[in-house]
């Protein structure tokens, strides 16, 4: 299974949205609107979900391809062998597909195991929406098929696992440290860069003294504080 | 739509693949996984945080209840998700220029994949099959993928330097300090929001507050 790369995990979830509508607005559009209106950066509910590196939500309305609808039964091989001329290949157009349900897609890259992460989602996902109402994770998934059976952390984990798809290939171009470790490192990088610039040209004893005070202040091995909060968007 | 969160861009691409060819793609991914040197080209593209490919067999879209209509599809589908730094064009072009053959290998069996060279048909293909993100969260909007990797090195070096050199005589400390800065010079850099951050964040903020454009 390629869903892990070291300690980093790739979660891909497709939750079918109920066909139907409420007050003439389809459930998929209601869900889309709720996703679009989520507060961003530090205020995103995902900033409260432990160990989330990067995550996204979107609605899969249908499947797409760049071509015209037609039948490709005869000319499938043309893609492999290129035996046929371009004009013949152009005639070998694919068939048209449409989905019967729309899907809420949740994709997350995070540190650690899946069960622990999903429990963290259930417990911590909270935000105040644009109407000043406090919301939890159920607000986003509310109109998904069979989500009404989700009542607690265990049933949420079970539900998401039913919607989960394995990755065929997960590429980690970053690190697989815990988020706390990544954020502390970024904090130190920022602070130490500034320290180096500010103390350029000073004498040995002066820099040494300042360095000791700097270490005291930034506490490099203390992951909890001082550090960057998740989603920090301003210096 | 918010494909951008700070310095990261979220790309979602869904492409059809003939169901009887999907196993070849899965095999290629398996070989790539068991032989990391095949991903060397991807590692060169240091602007990527995390990326993944997911193949959904045509009869395997999640169906959670008998009341949900069963999908009847001609093709299986390949989903590609990426988190990268920079603009859409920079990313797509860097793929084309850095690893065209690797790209073709991963998408070769997808219906109407035009190959990664020349650029224009490839751009059209990705653009047509791309889906915009509704909510994108990035734990460190001000940091690029390279910042995260550099930060890991700086933290390690700083702790090590503090343990070994902090209490040495001032002149010796100074020599070690200068060496430390010299060794880490590629990893320094102040992290700030880029202009892209403010433009996109501003657009999202306006939409969130329902301020007309």
């Amino acid at each position: 299974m390629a869903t892990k790369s070291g300690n980093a995990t790739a979660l891909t979830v497709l939750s079918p949205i109920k066909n139907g509508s409420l007050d003439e607005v389809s459930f998929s559009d209601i869900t889309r609107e709720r996703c679009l209106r989520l507060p961003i950066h530090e205020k995103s509910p995902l900033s409260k979900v432990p160990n989330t590196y990067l995550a996204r939500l979107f609605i899969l309305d249908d499947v797409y391809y760049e071509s015209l609808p037609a039948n490709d039964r005869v000319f499938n091989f043309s893609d492999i062998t290129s035996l046929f001329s371009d004009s013949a290949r152009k005639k070998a157009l694919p068939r048209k597909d449409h989905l019967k349900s729309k899907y809420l897609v949740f994709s997350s890259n995070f540190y650690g195991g899946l069960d622990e992460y999903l429990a963290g989602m259930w417990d911590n996902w909270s935000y105040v929406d644009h109407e000043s109402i406090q919301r939890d994770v159920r607000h986003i998934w509310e109109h998904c098929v069979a989500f009404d059976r989700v009542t607690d952390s265990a049933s949420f984990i079970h539900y998401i696992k039913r919607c989960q798809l394995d990755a065929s290939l997960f590429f980690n171009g970053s690190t697989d440290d815990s988020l706390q470790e990544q954020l502390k490192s970024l904090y130190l990088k920022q602070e130490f860069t500034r320290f180096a610039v500010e103390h350029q040209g000073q004498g040995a004893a002066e820099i040494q003294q300042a360095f000791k005070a700097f270490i005291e202040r930034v506490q490099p091995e203390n992951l909890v504080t001082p550090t960057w909060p998740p989603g920090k968007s301003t210096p | 739509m918010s494909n951008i969160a700070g310095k990261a861009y979220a790309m979602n691409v869904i492409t059809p693949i003939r169901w009887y060819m999907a196993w070849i793609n899965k095999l290629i991914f398996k070989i790539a996984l068991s032989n990391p040197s095949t991903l060397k080209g991807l590692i060169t593209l240091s602007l990527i945080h995390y990326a993944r490919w997911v193949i959904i067999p045509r009869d395997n879209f999640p169906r959670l209840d008998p009341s949900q209509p069963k999908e009847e599809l001609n093709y299986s589908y390949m989903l590609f998700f990426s988190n990268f730094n920079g603009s859409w064009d920079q990313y797509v072009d860097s793929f084309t220029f850095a690893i065209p053959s690797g790209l073709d290998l991963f998408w070769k069996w997808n219906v109407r994949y035009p190959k990664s060279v020349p650029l224009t048909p490839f751009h059209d293909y990705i653009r047509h099959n791309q889906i915009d993100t509704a909510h994108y969260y990035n734990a460190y909007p001000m940091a690029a993928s390279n910042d995260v990797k550099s930060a890991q090195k700086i933290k390690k070096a700083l702790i090590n330097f503090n343990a070994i050199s902090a209490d040495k005589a001032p002149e010796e400390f100074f020599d070690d300090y200068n060496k430390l800065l010299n060794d880490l010079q590629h990893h320094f850099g102040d992290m700030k929001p880029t202009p892209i951050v403010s433009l996109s964040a501003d657009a999202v903020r306006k939409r969130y507050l329902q301020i007309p454009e």
Side-chain angles (χ1 to χ4, degrees):
Chain A
M1 192 166 79
T3 299
K4 285 201 81 107
S5 171
N7 296 316
T9 306
L11 172 64
T12 313
V13 174
L14 258 72
S15 302
I17 300 170
K18 283 185 272 186
N19 290 320
S21 59
L22 192 69
D23 295 335
E24 296 191 359
V25 183
S26 68
F27 290 129
S28 60
D29 279 347
I30 295 172
T31 307
R32 188 192 332 270
E33 169 101 17
R34 289 178 182 181
C35 294
L36 283 167
R37 283 190 176 280
L38 285 173
I40 58 169
H41 297 322
E42 298 92 332
K43 290 181 180 164
S44 166
L46 283 152
S47 71
K48 298 194 181 83
V49 179
N51 279 314
T52 309
Y53 301 138
L54 295 121
R56 70 190 70 172
L57 286 156
F58 67 92
I59 309 297
L60 179 66
D61 288 302
D62 208 347
V63 288
Y64 307 94
Y65 55 88
E66 193 206 357
S67 189
L68 296 169
N71 197 312
D72 69 339
R73 213 168 280 169
V74 179
F75 286 102
N76 275 351
F77 265 31
S78 65
D79 275 351
I80 304 168
T81 60
S82 297
L83 283 174
F84 299 93
S85 68
D86 270 352
S87 60
R89 284 165 61 96
K90 275 172 193 163
K91 281 178 197 157
L93 297 171
R95 296 191 223 175
K96 195 173 183 176
D97 264 347
H98 287 297
L99 293 176
K100 292 187 175 173
S101 295
K102 295 178 184 200
Y103 294 82
L104 169 65
V105 182
F106 175 62
S107 158
S108 179
N109 304 274
F110 63 88
Y111 169 86
L114 181 60
D115 283 38
E116 201 187 339
Y117 180 73
L118 293 176
M121 252 176 97
W122 176 263
D123 292 339
N124 298 292
W125 180 299
S126 70
Y127 64 100
V128 178
D129 75 3
H130 64 288
E131 288 166 327
S132 306
I133 300 170
Q134 187 72 38
R135 303 288 189 187
D136 61 24
V137 75
R138 287 173 296 184
H139 193 56
I140 296 293
W141 266 268
E142 184 181 0
H143 297 303
C144 289
V145 174
F147 194 74
D148 49 2
R149 291 172 219 158
V150 173
T151 52
D152 55 14
S153 180
S155 54
F156 177 71
I157 294 171
H158 178 70
Y159 181 86
I160 295 294
K161 283 184 174 175
R162 285 186 73 197
C163 305
Q164 189 195 356
L165 296 163
D166 282 341
S168 294
L169 181 63
F170 178 35
F171 172 72
N172 179 356
S174 183
T175 76
D176 66 346
D177 294 331
S178 71
L179 181 65
Q180 240 186 357
E181 178 74 30
Q182 285 184 335
L183 290 168
K184 180 73 191 196
S185 302
L186 286 165
Y187 166 79
L188 288 174
K189 172 172 142 67
Q190 186 85 318
E191 295 300 317
F192 193 42
T193 299
R194 288 173 180 174
F195 177 89
V197 172
E198 280 166 17
H199 294 83
Q200 212 162 11
Q202 292 180 353
E206 208 177 341
I207 292 183
Q208 189 174 27
Q209 206 178 358
F211 182 78
K212 284 187 174 175
F214 169 77
I215 291 294
E216 190 116 323
R217 177 171 69 82
V218 300
Q219 302 177 46
E221 293 187 72
N222 182 349
L223 295 183
V224 181
T225 188
T227 187
W228 275 10
K232 179 182 164 67
S233 62
T234 49
Chain B
M1 169 190 131
S2 50
N3 288 334
I4 297 166
K7 288 182 180 163
Y9 185 107
M11 179 181 271
N12 317 301
V13 179
I14 184 163
T15 47
I17 179 165
R18 293 182 185 93
W19 59 270
Y20 49 85
M21 289 293 184
W23 68 273
I24 297 178
N25 250 66
K26 284 191 175 175
L27 185 68
I28 290 168
F29 287 134
K30 213 168 193 170
I31 292 166
L33 259 183
S34 56
N35 188 4
S37 66
T38 49
L39 297 175
K40 221 169 134 190
L42 271 176
I43 295 163
T44 319
L45 297 173
S46 64
L47 70 170
I48 304 171
H49 288 274
Y50 304 92
R52 84 182 75 152
W53 288 260
V54 179
I55 295 174
I56 317 175
R58 62 177 181 161
D59 53 0
N60 215 25
F61 275 73
R63 185 162 181 252
L64 306 182
D65 193 83
S67 66
Q68 182 193 342
K70 200 175 185 315
E71 300 293 355
E72 288 169 19
L73 297 166
N74 292 298
Y75 300 108
S76 295
Y77 283 84
M78 189 162 96
L79 277 164
F80 171 65
F81 297 105
S82 185
N83 304 272
F84 59 86
N85 306 129
S87 72
W88 189 96
D89 289 86
Q90 285 169 338
Y91 180 67
V92 175
D93 292 0
S94 62
F95 255 97
T96 296
F97 291 119
I99 50 164
S101 54
L103 211 56
D104 291 348
L105 194 66
F106 283 178
W107 266 277
K108 187 175 177 61
W109 310 105
N110 286 249
V111 175
R112 287 286 163 249
Y113 174 67
K115 290 196 173 181
S116 57
V117 179
L119 268 176
T120 305
F122 181 61
H123 274 200
D124 289 346
Y125 179 77
I126 297 293
R127 212 168 265 143
H128 192 90
N129 291 280
Q130 187 180 343
I131 305 161
D132 289 329
T133 299
H135 178 72
Y136 188 27
Y137 169 74
N138 177 358
Y140 19 76
M142 291 195 296
S145 173
N146 280 335
D147 288 322
V148 180
K149 284 172 268 189
S150 287
Q152 186 190 41
K153 291 192 174 70
I154 287 182
K155 180 170 183 272
K156 204 175 158 193
L158 189 64
I159 289 172
N160 195 34
F161 171 80
N162 186 45
I164 293 170
S165 307
D167 293 321
K168 283 184 177 177
E171 290 310 319
E172 270 182 83
F173 166 86
F174 195 54
D175 286 347
D176 290 359
Y177 177 75
N178 283 335
K179 187 178 178 308
L180 176 72
L181 296 193
N182 205 32
D183 290 346
L184 291 178
Q185 59 183 313
H186 291 300
H187 302 296
F188 283 132
D190 206 10
M191 289 169 282
K192 289 178 180 171
T194 62
I196 291 174
V197 170
S198 44
L199 285 173
S200 62
D202 194 44
V204 173
R205 189 184 65 86
K206 278 182 180 162
R207 189 187 61 226
Y208 186 67
L209 298 172
Q210 291 195 306
I211 300 169
E213 292 291 321

